[in-house]
Amino acid sequence: MTVLRRIGSALFAPAIAVVFAAVITTLVILAIGENPSTAVRVLFDFGDTPAQQTQAIVVILNRAVPLFLAGLAVSVAFRMGLFNIGVEGQYRMATVLAAGAGAAVSLPAPLHVVFVIVVAMLVGAFWAAIVAVLKVTRGVSEVISSIMLNFIALGTASWLLTGPLRGSEEGAAIITTKDLPESGQFPGLNGLFDLVGLAQPRGELYGFLVVALVAGIAISVLLKRTRFGFDLRATGLSASAATASGIDARGMVLKTMLISGAVAGLIGLPDLMGNTHHFGTEFTAGLGFLGIAVALLGRNSPLGIAFAALLFAFLDRAAVPLQFADIPASVVTIIQGTIVLAVVIANEIARQLTRRRAEGETGQAASPAPESPPTGPAGTAGSRIDEHQGAGA
């Protein structure tokens, strides 16, 4: 029963959020004079042919991979009680420098791929370390410093793209870095469709999906099965209590932000190494902020974040088909925003219900139980009284 209650409390907030978002979106579609059933049909229309259906699956999975990594990066800091709002800047800096470094070297295929990944993680960790150092040495709020560093990162990335790392010709409409050589590109996973008997899609399924899965498993094990994870969660619950028990709270802030930034550095690599092979002015933006929503909806659990990333990717895929059905693509944004708002409210309600239940159970345990009359070997209090009376007679 305890396990069922725990699962129910974990699913309560996301379920309420999705239902609430569906109701609000239905009202919005009705307000603009369109039929909500049309929107539902478009959302679940994956195409008529097998190739179209597998292509829709590829689009969803490819979109979900960076969202999952963004949610992981945010969730690591959330578990510590830190708000790493700077994931956006961390992954933009990591991607542009990894693209430039990857295009500048020549290595064998496996080493080249590893080199690009390591560079991205190091840059992301360095950019997050600035936030951590400011917090532990000067007491600067990580929210303020990470937001400011986002602007610095965007400006720096723009300067690098138009200056030292520019690969496109002068006068080009789209400015990009040099393309990664083939040895630095991550191979796709389209061979899996042949193994399971599905039609080949037009696009390529990102091979970086494997790296994302490994990262999710590693983060889950790190947070739930290691001493470091226990110290991290304990410090997040109460830094003073953690310090009193011998945990270096300041050191945990630095380590947590380094891990969060390193994971953030991976966010742009699925597109960089699996699709565009360069960083440019049209590179995907906003993934860091979407990661906050994904982490909230997934309740900071890697498994929950995976489902939340798939949901957001599923909604993003429908943006263009909705426009063909005369429904504004902004409906997708409304759904996602409403989900975030609803999940915050539902999480607070669930937290209060859990607290009240715990207080009630504590009160019942603390109340003294009525004393029972003493019993002896004869089995009942009455038998002892009868024995005493008989002895007196």
Side-chain angles (χ1 to χ4, degrees):
M1 191 65 181
T2 304
V3 176
L4 293 177
R5 181 181 298 175
R6 189 180 304 166
I7 295 175
S9 61
L11 296 178
F12 174 76
I16 292 296
V18 172
V19 172
F20 181 72
V23 172
I24 296 299
T25 305
T26 299
L27 296 177
V28 170
I29 294 174
L30 288 173
I32 62 177
E34 298 294 339
N35 190 349
S37 62
T38 302
V40 174
R41 178 180 56 79
V42 172
L43 283 173
F44 291 94
D45 184 10
F46 281 27
D48 300 325
T49 66
Q52 290 176 341
Q53 293 167 359
T54 53
Q55 176 63 23
I57 294 173
V58 166
V59 170
I60 292 174
L61 290 176
N62 285 350
R63 178 62 173 172
V65 171
L67 289 176
F68 174 69
L69 292 170
L72 275 183
V74 174
S75 69
V76 171
F78 274 173
R79 287 293 188 94
M80 176 69 186
L82 300 171
F83 294 90
N84 186 9
I85 313 297
V87 170
E88 179 73 17
Q90 291 156 21
Y91 95 83
R92 296 290 287 273
M93 282 296 297
T95 307
V96 67
L97 287 175
V105 300
S106 178
L107 294 170
L111 291 179
H112 205 156
V113 169
V114 173
F115 172 77
V116 174
I117 294 175
V118 170
V119 169
M121 294 181 69
L122 289 176
V123 173
F126 171 78
W127 209 252
I130 300 175
V131 177
V133 171
L134 289 174
K135 183 174 181 65
V136 299
T137 60
R138 309 304 301 172
V140 179
S141 168
E142 73 276 8
V143 175
I144 296 175
S145 59
S146 58
I147 290 177
M148 295 300 101
L149 281 169
N150 277 342
F151 289 100
I152 297 174
L154 294 179
T156 305
S158 178
W159 171 74
L160 289 171
L161 182 60
T162 56
L165 301 182
R166 178 167 184 157
S168 55
E169 298 178 356
E170 292 292 337
I174 300 175
I175 303 174
T176 66
T177 61
K178 294 180 180 179
D179 283 355
L180 291 175
E182 188 174 352
S183 59
Q185 300 172 14
F186 212 103
L189 297 176
N190 278 22
L192 294 177
F193 293 104
D194 292 331
L195 292 177
V196 298
L198 295 177
Q200 280 291 331
R202 297 190 312 273
E204 189 79 21
L205 177 61
Y206 289 165
F208 215 83
L209 173 64
V210 177
V211 178
L213 291 176
V214 172
I217 295 172
I219 293 297
S220 180
V221 172
L222 179 68
L223 295 182
K224 297 181 180 180
R225 304 294 182 186
T226 65
R227 172 63 186 271
F228 175 82
F230 174 81
D231 291 348
L232 185 149
R233 289 180 281 115
T235 308
L237 291 173
S238 175
S240 58
T243 302
S245 63
I247 299 174
D248 182 7
R250 290 188 174 186
M252 289 304 300
V253 171
L254 181 59
K255 294 174 185 176
T256 301
M257 288 301 294
L258 285 173
I259 295 173
S260 179
V263 177
L266 299 174
I267 296 172
L269 298 190
D271 287 328
L272 173 66
M273 304 178 75
N275 183 23
T276 63
H277 305 135
H278 57 247
F279 183 90
T281 52
E282 292 190 344
F283 199 83
T284 307
L287 294 173
F289 298 117
L290 282 175
I292 299 174
V294 170
L296 286 173
L297 184 58
R299 301 199 65 171
N300 296 325
S301 165
L303 182 60
I305 291 171
F307 284 111
L310 287 171
L311 175 61
F312 272 61
F314 169 77
L315 294 173
D316 285 342
R317 181 202 66 87
V320 175
L322 282 173
Q323 289 181 329
F324 287 111
D326 295 329
I327 298 176
S330 56
V331 166
V332 171
T333 306
I334 293 173
I335 297 175
Q336 293 174 340
T338 308
I339 288 176
V340 175
L341 177 62
V343 78
V344 171
I345 297 173
N347 276 337
E348 180 62 23
I349 295 174
R351 188 179 65 84
Q352 293 181 0
L353 291 176
T354 303
R355 177 185 296 178
R356 290 177 183 176
R357 187 183 301 115
E359 290 175 351
E361 292 175 354
T362 303
Q364 291 178 0
S367 60
E371 295 184 3
S372 58
T375 60
T380 65
S383 64
R384 297 189 64 179
I385 295 174
D386 291 340
E387 289 175 2
H388 178 74
Q389 290 177 348

